[in-house]
Amino acid sequence: MNLINFALMASPAIKMLGNTRFLALYLGGGILSSLISLTYNYVIGGYNRRSHGASGAIFAVIALYATLAPTSTFLLFAIVPMPAWLCVGGMAAYDLYGAFTNPNRRTDGAGHLGGMLAGFLYALRLTRRI
């Protein structure tokens, strides 16, 4: 699923940012998401948990695109059209809920949220809001 989302979002994000800024977003999103994931797992006592930075980096790209173009249409599961802000907000709610109700699940909710935070902050920085 991440790869499908990345394939759909990468091209428009590269057009918005250019290659260098896109690479900075992707790498920065991966690093921040991994740090947040590892910190979260340390706090809950999950010392043997892994963090998957690529997933967080993809979520950074998705969040940036949704922040800069919130009314653009995303296709949930490549079928259901919805505004970008609603789709990303739903993904954030799902990951937040999962991080607190089932911290041992296979999906790295904290890493996804860290990636979304990176994308959101990068978008705000680009628009000079921070």
Side-chain angles (χ1 to χ4, degrees):
M1 198 65 177
N2 282 343
L3 191 56
I4 292 170
N5 286 327
F6 184 68
L8 295 172
M9 297 300 128
S11 182
I14 290 170
K15 287 179 185 173
M16 288 178 176
L17 301 174
N19 293 337
T20 304
R21 285 184 174 170
F22 179 82
L23 183 61
L25 167 69
Y26 189 82
L27 293 176
I31 291 168
L32 182 62
S33 69
S34 291
L35 290 173
I36 288 175
S37 175
L38 292 171
T39 301
Y40 168 78
N41 286 313
Y42 178 79
V43 169
I44 66 165
Y47 304 109
N48 293 323
R49 303 284 300 179
R50 293 186 180 118
S51 176
H52 306 289
S55 178
I58 291 169
F59 273 75
V61 173
I62 293 168
L64 172 111
Y65 186 78
T67 302
L68 295 178
T71 58
S72 63
T73 301
F74 279 15
L75 293 175
L76 183 64
F77 303 114
I79 300 171
V80 181
M82 64 178 46
W85 67 267
L86 182 61
C87 186
V88 172
M91 291 189 307
Y94 174 78
D95 282 322
L96 187 62
Y97 176 77
F100 288 104
T101 60
N102 187 6
N104 294 319
R105 68 187 185 150
R106 292 174 53 171
T107 304
D108 186 11
H112 289 173
L113 292 167
M116 286 185 214
L117 177 65
F120 178 71
L121 292 175
Y122 198 81
L124 290 180
R125 185 176 182 283
L126 288 174
T127 59
R128 306 274 189 237
R129 293 185 184 162
I130 60 170

